[in-house]
């Protein structure tokens, strides 16, 4: 079966249309529901002192200090999940 010449262009345009529709949908949700927009920013970027940033910091510091990867990863997961010793 041969691909038609226009099928690549049609696929690209379809992907472009879906991406534009998704961007518009998220824009409308952010405009109509500001709390949704704020929550999305928190999830994507993390809070200044959020668990994601703290866990990444723990991982980076442990690896820089030469600690074993298994131990450092375990500590990072504990910080991420909020489990304290």
């Amino acid at each position: 079966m041969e691909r038609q010449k226009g099928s690549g262009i049609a696929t690209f345009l379809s992907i472009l249309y879906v991406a534009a529709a998704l961007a518009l949908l998220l824009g409308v949700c952010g405009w109509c529901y500001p709390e949704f927009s704020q929550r999305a920013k928190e999830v994507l970027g993390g809070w200044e002192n959020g668990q994601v940033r703290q866990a990444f910091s723990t991982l980076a510091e442990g690896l820089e200090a030469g600690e074993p990867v298994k131990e450092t990863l375990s500590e990072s997961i504990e910080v991420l999940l909020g489990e304290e010793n």
Side-chain angles (χ1 to χ4, degrees), residues 2-82:
E2 292 183 29
R3 284 182 62 163
Q4 296 177 351
K5 187 175 182 179
S7 67
I9 295 171
T11 302
F12 174 74
L13 290 175
S14 296
I15 292 171
L16 186 64
Y17 291 146
V18 169
L22 184 61
L24 287 172
L25 177 65
L26 291 175
V28 168
C29 288
W31 179 264
C32 295
Y33 303 102
E35 61 275 355
F36 170 77
S37 176
Q38 182 63 30
R39 182 68 180 147
K41 287 178 185 177
E42 290 171 357
V43 169
L44 294 175
W47 292 324
E48 187 65 33
N49 294 322
Q51 290 176 323
V52 173
R53 289 187 185 210
Q54 289 177 357
F56 183 76
S57 178
T58 301
L59 179 66
E61 289 172 0
L63 294 176
E64 285 179 7
E67 294 179 11
V69 175
K70 183 177 179 181
E71 181 182 317
T72 305
L73 188 59
S74 176
E75 291 172 4
S76 297
I77 291 173
E78 287 176 5
V79 170
L80 181 64
L81 298 178

